[in-house]
Amino acid sequence: MHHAIPAAALPADLTICSVGEWAPRLRSCLAAADTAAGAPPLYLDAAAVEEVDAAGVQLLLALANSLGRERLRLVAPSTALMRACRALGAEHLLAEDQAPEATP
């Protein structure tokens, strides 16, 4: 039985100035994630993101691509993150079912 991976929190600044710092942290989340088919999603708390640019969205896209289709879940994405994803054609990162389910 798979269990949801606890959500990690994204920073307030997810721009070209900070992605170099955050990429290794997100890669460690990826390393901890089960990459097998049918594995649970990786949840990232995105509520605190205040500034985001193309580099930040690209980092999230790379993580999503590494995990496999629809495995990355952004919990409570901020308005800034939603706008950036929509502007850059990455709406699929904003799936409707974003809340992690309780697991035993």
Side-chain angles (χ1 to χ4, degrees):
M1 171 182 233
H2 294 289
H3 297 282
I5 297 167
L10 291 175
D13 180 10
L14 196 58
T15 65
I16 196 165
C17 296
S18 67
V19 294
E21 174 186 342
W22 278 92
R25 294 178 190 188
L26 293 177
R27 279 196 297 270
S28 69
C29 290
L30 177 61
D34 184 351
T35 57
L42 174 66
Y43 293 97
L44 296 178
D45 181 348
V49 177
E50 296 174 2
E51 293 186 53
V52 60
D53 63 9
V57 173
Q58 184 178 16
L59 177 62
L60 296 176
L61 287 169
L63 184 61
N65 287 338
S66 295
L67 282 168
R69 185 172 172 86
E70 300 179 12
R71 293 255 335 275
L72 178 65
R73 296 286 185 258
L74 300 177
V75 178
S78 67
T79 301
L81 184 57
M82 289 190 291
R83 284 182 184 149
C85 286
R86 289 184 182 124
L88 296 168
E91 298 90 352
H92 63 282
L93 291 176
L94 306 171
E96 291 181 24
D97 178 21
Q98 296 296 319
E101 296 178 10
T103 56

